[in-house]
Amino acid sequence: MLTTERGRIVLGLFAITVLGIAAVYLFGGKDSNLVTQTVVTGLLLGGVYVLVSLGLTLIFGVLGIVNFAQGAMLAMAMYLVYFMVSSAGINPYLAVVLSAPIMFGFGWLVQSTLMNRLITDVGHSRPLLVTLGLSLLISNTLLMIFGGRPLNVPSPYAGSVQILGAIADVPRIIAFVGAVIVAGGLIVILRKSPVGLAIRAVAANGTGASLVGVNVKRIYAMTFGLGAASVGVAGGLLAPFTSLVPSAGDQFTTLAFVIVVLGGLGSVPGALVGGIFIGLLQTVGSLFLPGSGPLLLVFGMFVLVLFLRPQGLFGANK
Amino acid sequence: MTALGVAAPERLADLKRRLPTGARLHFSVLALVLVVMAFLPLVVPESALPVAIRTLIFAIMAVGWNLMSGYGGMFSFGHAAFFGVGAYTNAYLLTAFGVSPWIGMIVGAGLSAGVGVLIAYLCLKYKLAGSYFALATFAFAQMFLLVTLNMEFLNKSEGINIPLLPEESWSMLQFDQGSLYYYWIPLVLLGVAVAVSISFVYSRPGQFAQAIRDDPTAAESLGIKVMKYRLIPVALSCAVTAVAGAFYTQYYLFIGPDQAFGLHVSTDAIIPAVIGGIGTIWGPLIGAAVIGPLSAVVAGFLRDPPPFLEFLYGTSGLDIAIYAILLILIVVFLPKGIYGTIRERRRK
């Protein structure tokens, strides 16, 4: 694992995270109970970020599409779950299982009807503009159907438990576990299934893949679909602890980009470690920085990563 | 005749010699457009004035964005940063030191050009292109938003109110509500912005910038200083966008972090240019003329919908949904925009 660029990114991020937390405990000068609580909160927040980033790492990493509709698709999945729970009265976690294939279909449709027409655009600005339009369209359609008043999906497992003396919300723990399961599922699909092999082939060399008989456009549609399905699961798992408004997903769009670029494009383990890293950076950072300082730190990090690691950024395409 | 007709004969001959035919034609059209638009408020109802002013602000922003992203080929997804710097510079200088907004506008434009050149220089130095350039500019705009939220002297999240004066004042750029000066001033500013665009596009630096956009390697091998001629359109673009920001502050008498640096500000600069035609002189204006009145038209339509659309009564979001569909359709099917496509058809 150490021999590959991606492996190094994952291990490096992991090491920085562990060392950072250790440093905060030892030299932070804060009450250790408070730090534990912050770390647990950060881990769980990171789980949420991982869920949102997994879909994006496929869409951005394999297709090279700056998907600005990621957050809007997340909101769409949340409302889908809300609709199923409130109209049919089913368990929200069962609704997650149903929303994933619906979102897969939506993603497939977007890629095959719109984005596949734009793959010749080398500057990537047209796909970005289409996803921007898509994001506005989804948010405002949700606004027209459900209105702007906040809605909520009641969780059947509301409540909290103690972990190492810190309090943790049960729905958030479920979301964290879900993030790890989705990441594992995606790794298995990408590494072991024929579709995964084709996706990796297309990501490595589109022309080469088409020469050996891969239907590149179909694989593109499949990849966007898989990305959307991951978002579908994310939306369902986030809904029980999110105040549901049409713009609920927007804040995640940017963070997902940060995480995906940080963890390496198209790298599922990278998104997993990157998401947890950013979650911790934000919560632990809030111990030392006031107001929106931690978020500023996250963006500063992003620009730095963009500047200093261009070769890592293009890793998935070359 | 045209604007050139008012110049003294010898100056006119001089101008004609210096200007290429294409530029002369564009300047003539610009003069004609400005004259026609100047009389517009006398024809349309008074209630349409705020919409017209908003449209003019959009148009200035889009003309600015187009300089950097259309002619310079560097796709900015963070023009809110430059709009906001212009807006806040004006608001801060005015409220803290009583500086005239006209001076605030110029200082803001200069500051914004400096900031833009610095950001673009860093992005280009580290070889960010395409999506990565867009993401980096976006990240900078977001950072400006967060920094403003933490700045005591910029009033944090509360924003800055421009004090209302007891009477109209040209030097402080403040007039009675509904005054037509609030329409004519941005119209003149737009005229200046378009004139800057035309002059730039037909100038040597402009030709170099377009050559670099189309093929940086070929341009460099011909001895063009790539970095220098990429930063010139960036500086012009940021300055023009900052002027829009400064006027925005004066017209609405308020600027807050979200109005200055929000994501929607960046998209407001991009979308008119994309719909009208990226990298064309008239595209941003045409796009703004389509997009600007859209919200008002849709809102008016929903107040009294036809029977088969009754269910839409009282909903919000339809205007932006239509705008989004328009954007998607144009990007997918008319990548050169409305004006760009028409121009191409006519040339064939």
Side-chain angles (χ1 to χ4, degrees):
Chain A
M1 197 170 171
L2 260 173
T3 52
T4 65
E5 168 96 30
R6 282 185 185 181
R8 277 199 297 270
I9 293 176
V10 171
L11 281 180
L13 271 176
F14 186 74
I16 292 172
T17 312
V18 173
L19 288 176
I21 293 173
V24 169
Y25 269 111
L26 293 175
F27 313 112
K30 304 276 173 186
D31 178 39
S32 69
N33 286 333
L34 178 66
V35 178
T36 309
Q37 178 65 55
T38 317
V39 168
V40 169
T41 313
L43 275 174
L44 294 177
L45 183 67
V48 170
Y49 292 165
V50 171
L51 273 173
V52 185
S53 313
L54 285 173
L56 192 71
T57 204
L58 285 181
I59 294 171
F60 191 25
V62 176
L63 307 175
I65 293 172
V66 176
N67 183 22
F68 250 89
Q70 192 76 7
M73 278 158 57
L74 181 71
M76 182 177 164
M78 289 191 208
Y79 275 98
L80 208 60
V81 168
Y82 169 81
F83 177 73
M84 286 192 261
V85 171
S86 64
S87 65
I90 53 177
N91 185 312
Y93 293 107
L94 181 67
V96 171
V97 181
L98 296 172
S99 80
I102 298 177
M103 290 304 291
F104 180 88
F106 175 78
W108 175 290
L109 210 66
V110 166
Q111 180 67 36
S112 53
T113 57
L114 296 173
M115 308 309 287
N116 269 349
R117 293 173 193 273
L118 309 174
I119 42 180
T120 49
D121 183 58
V122 283
H124 292 310
S125 63
R126 285 172 69 203
L128 185 150
L129 287 166
V130 171
T131 58
L132 173 68
L134 209 57
S135 141
L136 292 171
L137 182 60
I138 294 172
S139 315
N140 286 281
T141 308
L142 291 175
L143 183 65
M144 278 157 69
I145 300 172
F146 295 98
R149 241 181 305 139
L151 305 168
N152 64 310
V153 176
S155 171
Y157 313 109
S160 52
V161 291
Q162 291 248 330
I163 299 174
L164 302 169
I167 299 164
D169 227 13
V170 174
R172 283 182 184 264
I173 296 175
I174 297 175
F176 187 88
V177 173
V180 176
I181 293 173
V182 173
L186 282 178
I187 290 175
V188 169
I189 291 177
L190 286 175
R191 300 232 170 116
K192 305 286 177 203
S193 75
V195 172
L197 181 65
I199 290 177
R200 282 185 294 138
V202 168
N205 186 342
T207 324
S210 77
L211 280 174
V212 295
V214 175
N215 183 343
V216 173
K217 288 196 168 180
R218 215 180 125 245
I219 292 302
Y220 276 166
M222 198 81 102
T223 310
F224 205 108
L226 267 180
S230 316
V231 174
V233 176
L237 292 177
L238 262 58
F241 54 88
T242 309
S243 170
L244 216 52
V245 287
S247 59
D250 293 359
Q251 50 167 329
F252 295 110
T253 307
T254 348
L255 286 168
F257 278 113
V258 180
I259 291 160
V260 168
V261 171
L262 196 65
L265 292 186
S267 160
V268 172
L272 191 67
V273 180
I276 290 171
F277 175 76
I278 294 293
L280 282 168
L281 186 68
Q282 222 178 324
T283 50
V284 177
S286 70
L287 284 178
F288 302 96
L289 295 167
S292 49
L295 211 52
L296 198 58
L297 203 65
V298 170
F299 278 107
M301 211 50 238
F302 183 40
V303 171
L304 220 61
V305 169
L306 277 175
F307 282 169
L308 299 181
R309 302 199 52 87
Q311 75 283 14
L313 297 179
F314 297 100
N317 293 330
K318 276 185 185 163
Chain B
M1 220 182 88
T2 64
L4 291 174
V6 294
E10 65 272 26
R11 287 279 326 272
L12 182 65
D14 191 40
L15 264 178
K16 271 190 176 164
R17 237 183 299 117
R18 278 195 296 144
L19 282 175
T21 331
R24 239 183 299 156
L25 185 67
H26 280 308
F27 275 120
S28 316
V29 176
L30 175 62
L32 193 72
V33 168
L34 288 181
V35 169
V36 171
M37 298 237 319
F39 288 105
L40 196 69
L42 308 177
V43 199
V44 300
E46 202 179 314
S47 59
L49 198 63
V51 178
I53 293 168
R54 269 189 72 79
T55 306
L56 286 173
I57 296 175
F58 277 153
I60 300 172
M61 290 163 72
V63 168
W65 181 84
N66 188 42
L67 275 167
M68 171 169 168
S69 304
Y71 289 109
M74 291 157 281
F75 194 94
S76 161
F77 206 67
H79 252 51
F82 315 123
F83 180 87
V85 167
Y88 264 103
T89 306
N90 174 42
Y92 177 70
L93 289 180
L94 180 95
T95 50
F97 305 106
V99 175
S100 158
W102 297 104
I103 297 172
M105 203 178 264
I106 294 167
V107 174
L111 197 61
S112 176
V115 169
V117 165
L118 185 67
I119 292 175
Y121 174 77
L122 287 173
C123 290
L124 295 173
K125 184 169 179 276
Y126 289 103
K127 302 210 167 13
L128 296 187
S131 321
Y132 300 99
F133 190 92
L135 280 176
T137 49
F138 172 72
F140 274 108
Q142 289 285 302
M143 276 158 74
F144 277 49
L145 174 72
L146 294 169
V147 168
T148 312
L149 282 170
N150 285 310
M151 285 292 175
E152 197 65 65
F153 78 103
L154 296 177
N155 261 355
K156 294 188 161 179
S157 62
E158 276 166 36
I160 300 178
N161 281 299
I162 305 293
L164 203 58
L165 297 177
E167 54 196 33
E168 296 196 337
S169 161
W170 264 100
S171 66
M172 296 311 279
L173 192 61
Q174 212 176 94
F175 307 97
D176 290 336
Q177 213 184 355
S179 164
L180 286 181
Y181 290 124
Y182 277 132
Y183 173 83
W184 284 322
I185 289 171
L187 182 64
V188 170
L189 292 176
L190 175 64
V192 173
V194 175
V196 166
S197 272
I198 301 172
S199 320
F200 172 71
V201 169
Y202 288 94
S203 70
R204 253 175 102 75
Q207 295 289 323
F208 286 169
Q210 289 170 71
I212 296 166
R213 171 195 66 188
D214 295 337
D215 193 337
T217 322
E220 193 165 20
S221 70
L222 290 172
I224 297 175
K225 291 197 182 78
V226 171
M227 181 63 93
K228 179 182 167 192
Y229 289 105
R230 285 200 126 158
L231 293 180
I232 290 172
V234 170
L236 288 174
S237 167
C238 298
V240 167
T241 311
V243 167
F247 178 78
Y248 177 99
T249 317
Q250 285 308 120
Y251 178 61
Y252 291 101
L253 296 172
F254 171 72
I255 192 71
D258 191 49
Q259 286 84 357
F261 298 110
L263 171 63
H264 62 94
V265 182
S266 295
T267 59
D268 282 349
I270 298 172
I271 293 175
V274 170
I275 286 186
I278 297 178
T280 64
I281 298 282
W282 303 105
L285 269 69
I286 292 170
V290 172
I291 291 300
L294 191 67
S295 288
V297 170
V298 171
F301 176 76
L302 283 186
R303 237 173 278 131
D304 191 16
F308 68 99
L309 287 174
E310 203 82 54
F311 67 95
L312 285 172
Y313 182 77
T315 55
S316 52
L318 180 64
D319 52 341
I320 301 181
I322 292 176
Y323 166 107
I325 293 172
L326 193 66
L327 174 68
I328 294 173
L329 290 179
I330 289 206
V331 173
V332 173
F333 297 104
L334 294 180
K336 293 196 157 56
I338 296 172
Y339 174 74
T341 308
I342 293 173
R343 193 181 59 175
E344 195 158 86
R345 292 256 161 90
R346 277 189 48 211
R347 275 184 187 165
K348 275 181 190 165

